Amino acid sequence: MVSLDEVFSDFKDYAGFDEEYEVSVNSKAADGKTPLHWMAVLGDHHGVALLLTAGAGINKSDHEGATPLHDAVLSRQTLVVEILVLAGADLNIQNFAGLTPMELALNDGFQPCVEFLTKFLINLK
């Protein structure tokens, strides 16, 4: 299983930070992505859970307005989508293109994400 130090080290490489740079749970890369965005894209559900436990901002957006949930949907990381939604990710946040995570899933046509998000939204009513 991945440790928080390993997550930070991977994020530091992704972000191109100097070796001495101190990465924290909500550090942002030049594109505005946080370690949680990065783990969501990779589909690392252990890293996602670890970051959430450590206080990662679940609804922090990058420079395109995308939250980790948007990134997980676009990367077709269904398990990460489920973890983020069940942890309280806001399903109504629109990226700068005006799209919510559900709209991204529908546009992509990736049924596992569409089905989970649909069931979750139905259960909210």
Side-chain angles (χ1 to χ4, degrees), residues 67-113:
T67 64
L69 181 56
H70 285 94
D71 284 352
V73 167
L74 284 174
S75 300
R76 297 181 162 194
Q77 301 294 347
T78 307
L79 181 56
V80 172
V81 167
E82 292 176 16
I83 291 168
L84 292 171
V85 169
L86 295 174
D90 187 340
L91 297 171
N92 296 310
I93 294 176
Q94 297 177 343
N95 62 17
F96 293 157
L99 300 172
T100 64
M102 175 58 114
E103 291 166 328
L104 288 175
L106 289 168
N107 288 348
D108 184 47
F110 186 60
Q111 286 305 310
C113 281

Side-chain angles (χ1 to χ4, degrees), residues 4 7 9 63:
L4 201 52
V7 169
S9 177
H63 294 325

Side-chain angles (χ1 to χ4, degrees), residues 38-55:
W38 180 239
M39 290 292 106
V41 167
L42 294 176
D44 187 332
H45 57 279
H46 294 296
V48 167
L50 188 62
L51 287 164
L52 290 172
T53 301

